[in-house]
Amino acid sequence: MSTAIIEVADLTFDYPGFRALNRVSLSIDAGSVTALVGPNGAGKTTLLRCIAALETPLSGTVRVAGLDVYESPREAHRLMGYLSDNFGLYSDLTVAQSLEYAARAQGLPGAAVAQAVATTAQRMGLADKLGKAAGTLSRGQRQRLAIGQAIIHSPQVLLLDEPASGLDPEARSSLAHVFKALQAQGMSLLVSSHILAELDEYST
Ligand code: ATP
């Protein structure tokens, strides 16, 4: 029997005057790649932000690896990586600097930073781009760098909001390989999208 890594119970979230999530409950198996599918405005981003403890719901609970994310948001952030739909990069930082910045922001000990940067660049296929400014990368490479920033601290759970939007078929397929590789290394992924064909390639 598989164990749940993400447990959402009775989650209700209101924007002023608008209920975006109404008593959502779900359970996601450890080691899975799960697709979060729905039309524009369905509430995918809101749900991911609630799971990432970046929003406070009206009611309900979210547990990640057994930890209540609203009671312990700091600890929860250590367990999770989050790629927002408008993933932010500083265009003047190089790939190496971008990853180092993420590592330090995640509170990695100084001695572990260089190794984390090297490992992550390798994982994301950016090892030969370390000295390149983020602003000079292609969209697919920037997407991979942003995911690299989200996984720099080797989280157990990776939340990705529309990670493949704007990518060409080849870059999409390479992203699918990246997701499968992260899963093979023990990570659980929750991926939102409205492109069903793409989800078919990597979802469990
Ligand atoms: P998309 O596929 O377009 O990214 P989504 O499924 O991620 O959509 P959300 O962004 O979570 O949807 O939005 C869910 C609902 O909440 C939408 O109807 C949206 O209009 C509403 N909403 C989102 N942000 C706000 C806000 N700041 N204030 C009020 N309503 C909001």
Side-chain angles (χ1 to χ4, degrees), residues 23 61 89 95 118 138 170 175:
R23 305 194 62 186
T61 57
L89 294 171
V95 168
S138 74
E170 203 174 321
L175 203 58

Side-chain angles (χ1 to χ4, degrees), residues 124-194:
M124 302 313 300
L126 293 168
D128 59 343
K129 302 270 184 302
L130 284 169
K132 280 199 86 171
T136 67
L137 300 174
S138 74
R139 184 176 171 93
Q141 291 163 345
R142 276 186 279 130
Q143 203 99 348
R144 289 214 299 273
L145 177 56
I147 296 171
Q149 288 191 321
I151 62 166
I152 193 83
H153 55 309
S154 298
Q156 294 184 37
V157 171
L158 182 57
L159 309 170
L160 301 132
D161 198 355
E162 307 265 0
S165 67
L167 295 187
D168 67 24
E170 203 174 321
R172 277 200 181 137
S173 155
S174 113
L175 203 58
H177 282 106
V178 167
F179 293 162
K180 285 188 203 161
L182 292 174
Q183 185 208 11
Q185 290 160 24
M187 218 176 269
S188 308
L189 284 75
L190 179 56
V191 188
S192 93
S193 178
H194 40 73

Side-chain angles (χ1 to χ4, degrees), residues 35 44 84 91 94 101 122 125 143 156 161 172 185 202-203:
K44 303 180 295 295
S84 75
S91 50
T94 65
Y101 165 68
Q122 194 71 43
Q143 203 99 348
Q156 294 184 37
D161 198 355
R172 277 200 181 137
Q185 290 160 24
Y202 51 77
S203 298

